[in-house]
């Protein structure tokens, strides 16, 4: 299995490449654990897969300029946006799949930090519906 060092990511929101405004990005996919233990389980818990969910965490570097992150995020707060994330900025392939989802733009911290700090903020958006994976 090939190991890699993160040197780039590709992330787009509603078709806008926001990769250059991010210092980190992660996609987490989970499945609820549903207990299906019965009296015949001989004292062992039995689990089944329940509902799937996803969340996208983005570590932004703030930009209030024309076409910057503030101009992109503020108007869509409280709506859904289409997000695409890839492990690298390279072409979509079997070794660089693209994950696509609709995410609820549920939070935004336009102003954050202390004197001398880089203006940054982190958000976690829940996905809404299926997360798809493409290799071509």
């Amino acid at each position: 299995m090939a190991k890699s060092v993160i040197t780039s990511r590709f992330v787009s929101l509603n078709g806008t490449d926001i990769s250059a405004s991010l210092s980190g990005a992660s996609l987490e996919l989970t499945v609820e654990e549903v207990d299906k233990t019965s009296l015949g389980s001989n004292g062992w818990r039995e689990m089944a897969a329940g509902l799937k969910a996803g969340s996208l965490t983005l570590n932004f570097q703030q930009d209030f300029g024309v076409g910057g992150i503030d101009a992109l995020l503020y108007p869509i707060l409280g709506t859904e946006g289409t997000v695409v994330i890839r492990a690298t900025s390279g072409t979509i392939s079997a070794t660089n799949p693209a994950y696509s989802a609709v995410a609820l733009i549920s939070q935004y911290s336009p102003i954050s930090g202390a004197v001398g700090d880089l203006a940054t903020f982190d958000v976690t958006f829940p996905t809404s519906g299926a997360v798809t994976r493409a290799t071509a």
Side-chain angles (χ1 to χ4, degrees):
M1 177 179 200
K3 309 288 191 267
S4 63
V5 173
I6 299 169
T7 58
S8 68
R9 286 261 193 269
F10 172 84
V11 181
S12 68
L13 176 58
N14 288 342
T16 300
D17 183 350
I18 58 173
S19 307
S21 297
L22 299 171
S23 59
S26 61
L27 175 65
E28 181 177 340
L29 305 175
T30 59
V31 178
E32 288 180 359
E33 299 171 2
V34 178
D35 191 332
K36 64 174 188 172
T37 306
S38 68
L39 294 175
S41 69
N42 295 317
W44 288 91
R45 286 210 179 274
E46 296 175 342
M47 304 304 286
L51 298 175
K52 295 177 184 176
S55 64
L56 178 70
T57 300
L58 302 172
N59 314 109
F60 281 99
Q61 296 174 348
Q62 183 59 284
D63 179 357
F64 291 103
V66 174
I69 291 303
D70 183 66
L72 176 67
L73 288 180
Y74 182 77
I76 62 173
L77 181 64
T79 68
E80 293 179 335
T82 301
V83 178
V84 177
I85 183 170
R86 297 192 308 257
T88 74
S89 57
T91 305
I92 299 169
S93 67
T95 58
N96 191 34
Y99 295 87
S100 301
V102 172
L104 176 61
I105 312 304
S106 57
Q107 57 177 284
Y108 177 44
S109 301
I111 299 174
S112 178
V115 67
D117 289 349
L118 181 65
T120 64
F121 64 96
D122 300 337
V123 294
T124 300
F125 299 142
T127 60
S128 180
V131 176
T132 61
R133 181 179 184 271
T135 58

